[in-house]
Amino acid sequence: MHFKGARIIKIHVYYIFNDIIFKQILNYVDIMKFKARLFDKLDNKKVKCHVCANECTILPDKVGICRTRKNFDGELFTLIYGSMISTGSLDPIEKKPLYNYWPGATAYSIASIGCSFKCQNCQNWSISQANPTDNGKNGFYDLQGYEGRGMSLVEMTPEQLEKRVVKSGAKTLAYTYNEPLIWHEWIIDTVPLMKKHDIKTILVTNGYSTPEATKELIDIGIDAANIDIKAMSDEFYKKICGVTSVQPVLDTAKQFKSNRVHIEITNLIIPDLNDSKEDIQKLCDWIVDNLGKNTPVHFSAYHPDFKMPSMKRTPYETLNIAYNIAKEVGLYFPYVGNISHEKGSNTYCPNCNHLLFGRRGYTFKKIDVTDDNKCPNCSYELDNDIIGEINKYPSHKFSFF
Ligand code: SF4
Ligand code: SF4
């Protein structure tokens, strides 16, 4: 049994066409199981994982809640190191969503399978709730009603990813779609390769980390994160996400922010579950008090999915209320997504309300920021608010997983 990282195997394939024998040499990347970081060995060959706030205790031959970490003989291994659902897609960074970080940049977006949560409303359930096989080559489901379905995973070494991202010309690499925190070892090994080329690295995450895992990500130089704060109540997290508390998410956001990682927050508003004025007010107050008024907040409209197909969509009125509450508490950059809202896609100057970025979907209708990153109307300096270069003429090749 191999417990190493990625290795390249050459496979000689012979095939016959029109009575001629052809020989082809395929480079086959065998990722195998990869030794996990951040776990303790316990008695009776049990292990305790500290990569996310579930902090699973895992018996031999069992996996943790995310199903991507397995105890082999008293050692913990990740089953998804270098395993991807595709070799990457080029997205606008605004799709992550990040609106105040390298506006208009392309995000080379990669994802694996598995998640530390089991959200009833997951819009990416087909990857987040899949299980990897021990060799990281396939994903399958053991969910009731979904058994027997599966997918092939693409395997890659960190250096192969580096080559692909550099070749794409993307300014940023996003770990996204499923939960990236459980991809910890892969992120730790690939972020430094991006740094060599000044490619910024982004997490799109549920934020359910531990302080030690977050510290490793900060130390390796992760640049930005969109953190999903789903609600401010533990009840919501227990009932909808299958975990115990919102507190680790809030702690992760604070830890990143205080270590100068660019943070934007997403809040998916679901009718009757987290859509009261009190819910939204509490979230906005917490952001102002703990992350600062210049933290962008994306209120997102829910549409029915996965195990909550009969829920209704979030109406415009609710999102408009959320936008106005955020403005009233003093947040500079509230946004509204997944629904059309007259102001919710735009960025306005925090000082004079001048329109800086007008957007339609993920594209710009207008950009009005000076070359030295100031508001052209009042000269307000935006260096703490709009981070990175502005790509005024983005041309992304849209592709969706
Ligand atoms: S990453 Fe989280 S869910 Fe997965 S095994 Fe570790 S503690 Fe458990
Ligand atoms: S945290 Fe995100 S990816 Fe994971 S189950 Fe919930 S919605 Fe899906």
Side-chain angles (χ1 to χ4, degrees), residues 49 51-52 54-56 58 64-66 69 116 182:
C49 175
V51 160
C52 91
N54 283 320
E55 301 211 81
C56 304
I58 309 172
I65 289 170
C66 62
R69 288 164 188 275
S116 46
I182 62 168

Side-chain angles (χ1 to χ4, degrees), residues 120 271-272 302-313:
Q120 304 281 309
D272 303 328
Y302 172 75
H303 64 80
D305 214 321
F306 196 35
K307 295 189 176 176
M308 289 172 30
S310 55
M311 299 288 294
K312 49 188 183 185
R313 286 171 179 265

Side-chain angles (χ1 to χ4, degrees), residues 114-125 128-129 177-179 205-206 228 230 240-241:
C115 185
S116 46
F117 287 8
K118 296 177 174 17
C119 299
Q120 304 281 309
N121 59 305
C122 183
Q123 293 172 359
N124 289 332
W125 64 266
S128 75
Q129 303 307 310
Y177 293 110
N178 74 319
E179 175 47 52
T205 175
N206 65 24
D228 195 2
K230 294 170 185 292
I240 304 299
C241 312

Side-chain angles (χ1 to χ4, degrees), residues 34 67 87 91 94 99 102 113 124 150 218 275 297 312 337 389:
F34 196 92
R67 307 170 308 283
T87 53
D91 288 339
E94 285 77 9
Y99 277 21
W102 286 77
I113 58 173
N124 289 332
I218 291 165
D275 65 339
V297 184
K312 49 188 183 185
E389 293 167 17

Side-chain angles (χ1 to χ4, degrees), residues 151-171:
M151 66 184 71
S152 295
L153 295 169
V154 179
E155 297 160 79
M156 212 180 278
T157 64
E159 293 73 23
Q160 285 173 320
L161 177 69
E162 177 190 7
K163 272 188 201 154
R164 282 175 180 270
V165 181
V166 170
K167 194 173 167 197
S168 77
K171 290 281 182 212

Side-chain angles (χ1 to χ4, degrees), residues 276-395:
S276 72
K277 286 184 183 174
E278 294 72 30
D279 291 328
I280 296 163
Q281 182 82 43
K282 198 172 175 187
L283 172 69
C284 292
D285 286 342
W286 185 87
I287 294 169
V288 169
D289 293 344
N290 294 276
L291 303 178
K293 289 183 176 180
N294 70 343
T295 306
V297 184
H298 302 260
F299 296 106
S300 190
Y302 172 75
H303 64 80
D305 214 321
F306 196 35
K307 295 189 176 176
M308 289 172 30
S310 55
M311 299 288 294
K312 49 188 183 185
R313 286 171 179 265
T314 317
Y316 168 90
E317 292 70 30
T318 306
L319 292 150
N320 194 40
I321 288 169
Y323 183 89
N324 288 330
I325 290 174
K327 278 284 190 191
E328 280 159 22
V329 303
L331 283 165
Y332 296 165
F333 304 112
Y335 297 109
V336 172
N338 280 355
I339 200 168
S340 175
H341 184 274
E342 59 279 12
K343 295 182 186 164
S345 297
N346 297 337
T347 304
Y348 296 93
C349 173
N351 186 48
C352 72
N353 215 31
H354 180 73
L355 178 61
L356 303 172
F357 295 89
R359 298 183 183 86
R360 182 182 291 120
Y362 302 131
T363 55
F364 296 124
K365 284 190 296 181
K366 172 189 174 182
I367 301 176
D368 198 10
V369 177
T370 65
D371 289 344
D372 56 351
N373 211 21
K374 288 181 182 160
C375 170
N377 188 49
C378 71
S379 298
Y380 179 85
E381 291 198 8
L382 295 162
D383 285 353
N384 291 324
D385 302 316
I386 308 293
I387 310 300
E389 293 167 17
I390 300 167
N391 180 11
K392 294 190 175 174
Y393 308 103
S395 61

